[in-house]
Amino acid sequence: MKKNRMMRLASGLLVAVLITTSTISGTFAKYTTADTASDEARVAKWGITVIAKDNDENDLFLENYTDAVSSVANEEIVAPGTSGTMTDIAVNGTPEVDFKATYTADLTLTGWTVDVDGDPATPDTEVYFPIVITVNGDEKAFTGTKQTELDAFISDVEAAIGGATKTYTAGQTIADTLDVSWKWDFSVNTDKDIRDTRLGDAAAAGNAATIKLEVNCLVEQTNTID
């Protein structure tokens, strides 16, 4: 009897301990540390526009210049008294990155050699290029008579068009222009008249001198950010 009472008492204590333990364990505190990181970004603005007018858009070399000079073959031509714009490039924008603008040019002059006296039996040919090229207001005129001098003239024109690369910082507005024009003066000058005529005669014989200018403008980001 006594033993049964002790067993019941022990069982009761065990149940009480279990209940107490369950209740206490549910109220224990614990260490917690928390934080939230959040951010949002958009793509940095570029927004550069490069507008280049070439001879297809802007008729830099023409098939006819009023009624005074006209190509019967419907080809673009140059002649004494004609002029025009070789290329016109405008660059605009305010990017949010560092950037640079670089121009390069390739001027090709072919066949600008004349026979001064018109007699093929005498070796008195010379280089003659009567077209004046103006780069942003700076006139470039060829005054030599040799191919090496013409090559130097070509390099000078290309350098004037290309110039130094221009650098800009993020947020800086670029409003850059490149204007290249040309003219073949119509003037009364016996020596020039003779040479002009020789060029025209060579063209009529199927050996026309040609002029071609290609200009490239590249605007690009200059920095990378880690």
Side-chain angles (χ1 to χ4, degrees):
M1 191 74 168
K2 184 177 180 181
K3 183 177 180 181
N4 290 338
R5 198 164 43 244
M6 291 297 291
M7 290 293 292
R8 286 197 296 271
L9 179 60
S11 298
L13 289 173
L14 177 59
V15 171
V17 170
L18 290 174
I19 292 173
T20 303
T21 303
S22 176
T23 303
I24 294 174
S25 65
T27 60
F28 282 162
K30 60 182 176 181
Y31 291 132
T32 62
T33 302
D35 194 7
T36 300
S38 178
D39 201 358
E40 183 178 358
R42 61 169 173 79
V43 172
K45 295 178 181 178
W46 181 240
I48 285 287
T49 60
V50 180
I51 301 175
K53 298 178 181 178
D54 57 25
N55 60 322
D56 292 328
E57 289 184 19
N58 205 34
D59 291 327
L60 312 183
F61 298 112
L62 304 177
E63 296 176 5
N64 61 78
Y65 302 80
T66 67
D67 294 331
V69 181
S70 182
S71 168
V72 296
N74 295 321
E75 296 175 320
E76 293 170 348
I77 55 176
V78 293
T82 60
S83 62
T85 301
M86 297 184 79
T87 189
D88 184 3
I89 296 179
V91 184
N92 295 280
T94 309
E96 294 177 330
V97 295
D98 291 352
F99 64 102
K100 65 180 179 179
T102 305
Y103 294 95
T104 55
D106 184 12
L107 176 62
T108 304
L109 304 177
T110 304
W112 296 90
T113 302
V114 297
D115 186 343
V116 178
D117 64 6
D119 183 359
T122 57
D124 58 351
T125 59
E126 65 180 32
V127 174
Y128 174 65
F129 180 70
I131 297 176
V132 176
I133 298 175
T134 302
V135 181
N136 287 338
D138 182 18
E139 287 192 351
K140 304 290 184 181
F142 178 68
T143 58
T145 59
K146 297 179 174 59
Q147 184 60 46
T148 54
E149 294 171 320
L150 185 64
D151 292 340
F153 171 80
I154 291 172
S155 297
D156 184 37
V157 172
E158 292 175 341
I161 294 173
T165 296
K166 301 176 182 178
T167 59
Y168 301 84
T169 57
Q172 184 176 358
T173 297
I174 178 175
D176 196 30
T177 59
L178 173 66
D179 181 21
V180 184
S181 60
W182 64 274
K183 65 178 178 179
W184 186 341
D185 283 333
F186 184 86
S187 60
V188 179
N189 181 302
T190 302
D191 290 338
K192 287 187 175 181
D193 288 347
I194 291 173
R195 288 161 177 75
D196 288 348
T197 302
R198 296 287 183 261
L199 289 173
D201 287 342
N207 299 312
T210 60
I211 174 173
K212 178 182 178 181
L213 175 66
E214 181 175 301
V215 178
N216 178 67
C217 176
L218 174 64
V219 184
E220 58 186 329
Q221 181 180 352
T222 57
N223 64 335
T224 56
I225 302 173
D226 299 326

